[in-house]
Amino acid sequence: DKTVSLRKDLSEMHEWITQAEEEYLERDFEYKSPEELQKAVEELKRAKEEAMQKEVKVKLLTDSVNNFIAKAPAAAHEALRKELDVLSSSYQRLCSRLNGKCKTLEEVWACWHELLSYLDAENKWLNEVEMKLKATENVQGGAEEISESLDSLERLLRHPEDNRQQIRELAQTLTDGGILDELINEKLEKFNTRWEELQQEAVRRQKTLEQSIQSAQETDKTLRLIQESLAALDKQLSAYIADRVDAAQLPQEAQ
C-alpha cells in the first residue's frame, strides 16, 4: 500500500545519506601529495553537487508524505511524520557538513598554492642574490668602483621579511593539519638551507668588499703622495736646469 511505498522511499534516502557520510565524512583522510589533495577536493565537490541534486527528491518525498498524512487516518501519521523529520534533519546535516568540508579543503588547496607562490618569489630573489655574489667575486677598479658594487649588493639584500614570514605561517597551517607535511618540510628545509648559505656568503662578501675599498683608498693615497713628491722634485730639478746648476755641485741626495 501507500504507507509501505513511502517508507521504502524514506529508507532508500536514509541509506544514501548514511553511505555518503561514511564515504566522505567519516573516513580518515591523509593527503601526502598534491595529487591526493586535488583528488579529494574534486570528489567532495561532486559529492556536494550530488547532495544538492537530491534536494528535489527530498522535497517530492516530503510533499508525498504530507499529502498522504492529510488524507490518511490519524494512526498512520505519527510514525511517518517521525521518519520524515529524521530524514529532513539528516539530509540538512549532511549538506551542511559536505559544504563545510568542501570549503575547508578548497581553502587548504588555495593555501598550498599560495605557499608555492611565495616560495617561487623568494627563490627568484635568492637567484638574484646568487648572481650578484658571483658578479662581485673579482671586482676590478679603484675604491669608487668597488664601493658601487658593495652598494648594489646591500640594496639587493635589503629585502623585506614579509614573504618569508608568510611561508612560515602557511607551512605551519598545513603541517599542523597533517597535510602534505613531508613534502612541505622537505621544501622548507631546502629553501631555508639555501637562504642561510647565501646570507652567510653575502656577509662574507660585504666584509671582503669593505676591506678592498679600504685597501684601494690606501693605495690611492700612497699614489697621490708619490705623485705630489715627484711633482715637487720635478719642479726643483727643472729649477736647477734653468739655473744651469751642475749635478756635481749638488748634495748627494739631490744628485
Side-chain angles (χ1 to χ4, degrees):
D1 63 0
K2 187 64 175 176
T3 307
V4 173
S5 176
L6 287 173
R7 281 182 171 160
K8 181 183 177 185
D9 291 341
L10 288 167
S11 177
E12 286 176 354
M13 275 302 300
H14 270 301
E15 287 177 9
W16 180 84
I17 290 171
T18 301
Q19 185 179 353
E21 286 178 336
E22 291 174 353
E23 180 68 22
Y24 300 108
L25 300 173
E26 307 302 338
R27 282 194 297 134
D28 290 330
F29 291 90
E30 284 191 358
Y31 310 111
K32 295 300 181 184
S33 71
E35 292 76 19
E36 288 178 357
L37 178 58
Q38 185 178 20
K39 182 181 177 183
V41 172
E42 291 170 353
E43 284 182 350
L44 268 175
K45 280 184 179 179
R46 285 195 296 270
K48 185 177 77 168
E49 289 169 4
E50 186 180 353
M52 290 173 66
Q53 289 167 4
K54 294 286 185 183
E55 184 178 4
V56 176
K57 188 171 182 179
V58 171
K59 189 176 185 306
L60 289 173
L61 191 52
T62 301
D63 291 343
S64 297
V65 171
N66 287 332
N67 288 335
F68 175 77
I69 288 174
K71 298 172 184 178
H77 292 187
E78 188 176 349
L80 269 177
R81 171 67 69 186
K82 185 176 181 181
E83 287 184 42
L84 180 62
D85 289 345
V86 170
L87 174 67
S88 297
S89 176
S90 298
Y91 175 71
Q92 293 300 327
R93 186 179 68 250
L94 173 68
C95 289
S96 177
R97 291 180 69 192
L98 282 174
N99 288 339
K101 186 159 187 178
C102 191
K103 183 181 178 183
T104 298
L105 273 191
E106 285 176 330
E107 289 173 352
V108 166
W109 182 245
C111 185
W112 162 246
H113 279 276
E114 192 177 3
L115 173 61
L116 291 180
S117 175
Y118 278 114
L119 279 171
D120 183 59
E122 286 302 277
N123 276 312
K124 284 179 179 176
W125 172 70
L126 289 177
N127 289 342
E128 291 180 31
V129 172
E130 197 168 29
M131 290 173 64
K132 180 65 69 176
L133 290 173
K134 287 180 180 177
T136 57
E137 277 181 358
N138 297 298
V139 181
Q140 302 298 320
E144 187 174 344
E145 289 81 3
I146 301 172
S147 182
E148 286 177 1
S149 293
L150 177 59
D151 289 343
S152 176
L153 176 60
E154 288 177 339
R155 279 196 302 272
L156 183 59
L157 293 174
R158 285 195 289 272
H159 184 69
E161 275 282 308
D162 296 359
N163 284 2
R164 201 161 174 237
Q165 180 63 26
Q166 285 292 329
I167 288 171
R168 283 193 289 265
E169 290 177 3
L170 289 167
Q172 190 70 48
T173 298
L174 290 168
T175 54
D176 280 351
I179 297 167
L180 305 175
D181 47 357
E182 291 180 7
L183 179 60
I184 289 171
N185 288 333
E186 180 183 329
K187 282 183 175 292
L188 254 62
E189 184 177 357
K190 184 178 179 182
F191 166 73
N192 288 328
T193 299
R194 188 182 182 213
W195 192 92
E196 292 291 345
E197 287 175 351
L198 286 173
Q199 285 293 320
Q200 291 172 9
E201 178 59 30
V203 170
R204 287 193 292 268
R205 186 59 46 80
Q206 283 175 292
K207 289 181 179 178
T208 300
L209 290 171
E210 287 168 356
Q211 291 170 353
S212 297
I213 291 171
Q214 186 178 357
S215 177
Q217 288 173 338
E218 290 173 356
T219 301
D220 289 346
K221 181 180 179 181
T222 302
L223 286 172
R224 190 171 62 254
L225 291 173
I226 291 172
Q227 287 172 339
E228 289 172 358
S229 176
L230 287 173
L233 182 59
D234 181 62
K235 184 178 179 180
Q236 185 180 22
L237 291 176
S238 296
Y240 286 154
I241 291 171
D243 294 340
R244 297 182 180 278
V245 176
D246 188 270
Q249 298 174 299
L250 298 175
Q252 186 67 34
E253 183 183 347
Q255 290 181 30

